């Protein structure tokens, strides 16, 4: 079930409603629970708590900060620039989006959500997986080097720990990802056909 991207109260109301429907296996967030593209722990925590209590699996399609409002804004911008309005993202976006996927994980870590909710599990669909081992290594190294002056010394764990304990990843065609699947955790990855698409 797709949750509304308006307010945290709306998201919780819909979460409670769909949790009782037969056949609903989880919910999809397009924005943070507060309805915006940025986290707000004082609001979002109400949603995380409710989702855990209800036992409803959470997923996001690639990341948070998208959905209908973001798509409409992008469409308007493309139209203004005279770019084709076919139903797909610009090629520059399609070819570079893998580089931004780890940022969502760091947002969860940085605002302390995963420390406040140690049982929180999130499935990120269509993220691909080959980038994950290198990202974990790089994030951990930067955290070790810069944690004391940047304020990240308050994190109880390195970034890779949170990735290994709180996130699940979806992929379609990712041959390199399959080669390094044991560095990701085979229990953390799921394959999707994503058919028919494009």
């Amino acid at each position: 079930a797709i949750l509304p991207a308006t307010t945290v109260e709306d998201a919780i109301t819909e979460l409670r409603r769909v949790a009782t429907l037969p056949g609903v296996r989880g919910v999809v967030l397009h924005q943070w629970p507060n309805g915006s593209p940025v986290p707000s722990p004082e609001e979002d925590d109400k949603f995380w708590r409710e989702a855990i209590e209800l036992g409803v699996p959470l997923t996001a399609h690639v990341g948070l900060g998208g959905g209908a409002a973001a798509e409409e804004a992008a469409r308007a911008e493309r139209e203004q620039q005279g770019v084709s309005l076919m139903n797909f993202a610009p090629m520059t976006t399609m070819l570079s989006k893998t580089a931004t996927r780890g940022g969502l994980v760091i947002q969860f870590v940085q605002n302390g959500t995963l420390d406040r909710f140690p049982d929180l599990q999130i499935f990120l669909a269509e993220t691909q997986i080959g980038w994950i081992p290198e990202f974990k290594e790089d994030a951990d190294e930067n955290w070790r080097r810069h944690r004391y002056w940047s304020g990240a010394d308050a994190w109880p764990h390195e970034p890779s720990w949170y990735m290994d304990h709180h996130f699940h990843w979806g992929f379609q065609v990712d041959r390199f990802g399959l080669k390094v699947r044991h560095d990701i955790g085979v229990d953390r990855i799921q394959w999707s056909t994503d058919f028919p698409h494009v």
Side-chain angles (χ1 to χ4, degrees), residues 56-76:
V56 177
L58 304 175
T59 186
H61 181 250
V62 180
L64 299 175
E71 288 170 15
E72 186 54 38
R75 177 179 288 276

Side-chain angles (χ1 to χ4, degrees), residues 7 19 23 28 32 40 53 62 65 68 82 119 126-127 139-141 143 149 174 187 189 198:
T7 67
V28 179
W32 289 86
S40 173
E53 287 177 12
V62 180
D119 295 328
E126 269 195 281
T127 55
D140 286 356
E141 180 61 21
W143 177 72
W149 66 264
D174 192 339
D187 60 333
I189 58 178
V198 185

Side-chain angles (χ1 to χ4, degrees), residues 15-147:
L15 175 70
R16 289 174 179 158
R17 185 185 78 82
V18 301
T20 63
L21 296 179
V24 173
R25 304 280 191 235
V27 296
V28 179
L29 290 162
H30 283 295
Q31 301 276 16
W32 289 86
N34 67 71
S36 81
V38 294
S40 173
E42 53 279 353
E43 293 182 77
D44 296 339
D45 283 4
K46 295 180 236 177
F47 177 86
W48 307 131
R49 188 174 297 108
E50 189 74 19
I52 291 169
E53 287 177 12
L54 292 172
V56 177
L58 304 175
T59 186
H61 181 250
V62 180
L64 299 175
E71 288 170 15
E72 186 54 38
R75 177 179 288 276
E77 182 179 344
R78 289 194 306 268
E79 189 174 48
Q80 186 178 33
Q81 296 171 351
V83 177
S84 169
L85 296 179
M86 293 178 70
N87 188 23
F88 56 80
M91 189 56 67
T92 53
T93 301
M94 294 301 293
L95 296 179
S96 61
K97 64 184 181 180
T98 301
T100 63
R101 292 174 180 159
L104 176 62
V105 172
I106 300 305
Q107 282 183 302
F108 271 100
V109 175
Q110 190 167 15
N111 71 43
T113 302
L114 304 175
D115 296 318
R116 290 190 302 280
F117 298 98
D119 295 328
L120 190 62
Q121 297 289 308
I122 300 164
F123 172 68
L124 298 177
E126 269 195 281
T127 55
Q128 301 297 66
I129 58 174
W131 62 275
I132 294 172
E134 193 279 331
F135 180 86
K136 290 192 321 186
E137 180 180 337
D138 196 42
D140 286 356
E141 180 61 21
N142 280 304
W143 177 72
R144 280 190 286 274
R145 286 181 179 207
H146 305 291
R147 61 186 287 203

